[in-house]
Amino acid sequence: MIIIFFMATMLISLSTIVMILASILSKKTIIDREKSSPFECGFDPKSSARLPFSLRFFLIAVIFLIFDVEIALLLPMIMIFSFSNITMWSLVGLFFLIILLIGLYHEWNQGALEWAN
């Protein structure tokens, strides 16, 4: 029993020493202004916070999220294919894809997908 306690104590001590040495040896001594400042979507965080924000960034991010969620909703449909009725599965999948294609067409028609003005 004492040997197990001794081994556990030695193992914890050795692990602590290795972690402290790794932390000390991996520290970088060069402090760079760019690396120490937070990344703010390409904007300089040291400047005024009242600068106008480009609405294009926001719009592209929202469109990306919509189509990213679409993939998360489409993938489970493949897994339930063997458990469901083929006609209902096809109708639901087709209806879902038609709604997404209509949304994509609307975004394209409104010019939201064009980056340059």
Side-chain angles (χ1 to χ4, degrees):
M1 187 70 172
I2 294 176
I3 295 174
I4 295 173
F5 179 73
F6 178 73
M7 294 288 282
T9 306
M10 289 301 293
L11 186 64
I12 290 173
S13 300
L14 185 65
S15 298
T16 305
I17 291 171
V18 168
M19 284 190 285
I20 290 172
L21 281 174
S23 175
I24 290 171
L25 293 175
S26 68
K27 290 201 183 238
K28 293 183 178 180
T29 57
I30 299 172
I31 298 174
D32 188 14
R33 177 186 177 267
E34 295 296 323
K35 295 209 179 216
S36 63
S37 67
F39 181 71
E40 298 287 340
C41 301
F43 298 106
D44 187 15
K46 308 287 188 218
S47 65
S48 174
R50 302 288 180 216
L51 291 175
F53 182 72
S54 173
L55 195 57
R56 291 276 182 199
F57 283 120
F58 177 73
L59 196 59
I60 294 295
V62 168
I63 291 170
F64 172 75
L65 284 176
I66 288 171
F67 288 103
D68 195 41
V69 169
E70 166 237 338
I71 295 296
L73 293 174
L74 277 177
L75 285 178
M77 286 187 67
I78 297 168
M79 299 178 92
I80 64 167
F81 178 70
S82 61
F83 303 119
S84 63
N85 185 359
I86 186 72
T87 56
M88 284 304 292
W89 184 87
S90 299
L91 285 175
V92 168
L94 188 65
F95 182 68
F96 187 69
L97 286 174
I98 286 173
I99 289 174
L100 286 171
L101 288 174
I102 289 171
L104 179 64
Y105 174 73
H106 178 71
E107 295 288 338
W108 191 3
N109 195 19
Q110 295 293 319
L113 300 177
E114 295 176 14
W115 185 257
N117 287 332

